[in-house]
Amino acid sequence: MKEAMEDAKQNPRVEQPVGKRGKPKQSKPKNLLDRLQTHRLSVLTFLCDPSVPFDNNQAEREIRMMKVQQKISGTLRSEQGAKVFCRIRSFISTVKKQSLSIIDALERAFREQPVLQ
């Protein structure tokens, strides 16, 4: 409790500008402090549980290729084409996570001898 009061002293609320209505904006450090206090248990979970990633960049990387495809061609031509594209990207992503050769895995998939079962 004492730490929270000390943090509040170091990061005071921003005063409301004259003539402005509504809630005053907080500073970025104050917003970060509030978020860390609110999510105290989940912030450092990755230190105790090795299965929890440090960040969520992997999820962002997974969807990036789809967004690039949409930007380059404007869109995918059909729903079926989008499904096929996602299925291939998912397969490649899984192979990479298993530390296997992408080329070998694709070749085996075309020969109907899949590496992943």
Side-chain angles (χ1 to χ4, degrees):
M1 187 66 169
K2 185 177 179 182
E3 289 175 9
M5 289 175 56
E6 197 170 304
D7 290 337
K9 286 180 190 176
Q10 291 177 355
N11 296 292
R13 284 183 130 342
V14 176
E15 294 298 320
Q16 178 78 8
V18 178
K20 290 273 189 169
R21 295 182 355 195
K23 188 176 178 181
K25 289 176 69 175
Q26 295 187 125
S27 66
K28 289 188 178 190
K30 175 71 170 117
N31 285 336
L32 178 60
L33 179 64
D34 289 347
R35 185 156 182 85
L36 290 173
Q37 286 176 342
T38 302
H39 301 285
R40 182 181 304 249
L41 295 176
S42 59
V43 169
L44 298 175
T45 301
F46 71 94
L47 291 174
C48 301
D49 185 355
S51 68
V52 175
F54 172 72
D55 60 15
N56 69 342
N57 285 345
Q58 185 62 41
E60 292 172 5
R61 280 192 289 272
E62 296 296 335
I63 64 169
R64 186 176 299 135
M65 185 52 84
M66 177 62 98
K67 297 307 286 179
V68 168
Q69 176 69 20
Q70 287 177 331
K71 287 180 181 180
I72 290 172
S73 67
T75 185
L76 293 164
R77 303 253 178 219
S78 67
E79 185 176 339
Q80 180 62 28
K83 287 180 180 179
V84 169
F85 180 82
C86 289
R87 191 168 186 180
I88 292 169
R89 289 300 309 166
S90 175
F91 178 78
I92 290 171
S93 176
T94 302
V95 168
K96 284 169 87 174
K97 288 176 189 171
Q98 298 291 327
S99 299
L100 301 172
S101 167
I102 297 169
I103 298 296
D104 290 342
L106 287 171
E107 184 179 339
R108 290 185 65 165
F110 286 122
R111 291 184 182 165
E112 297 181 4
Q113 301 168 343
V115 170
L116 306 172
Q117 301 270 340

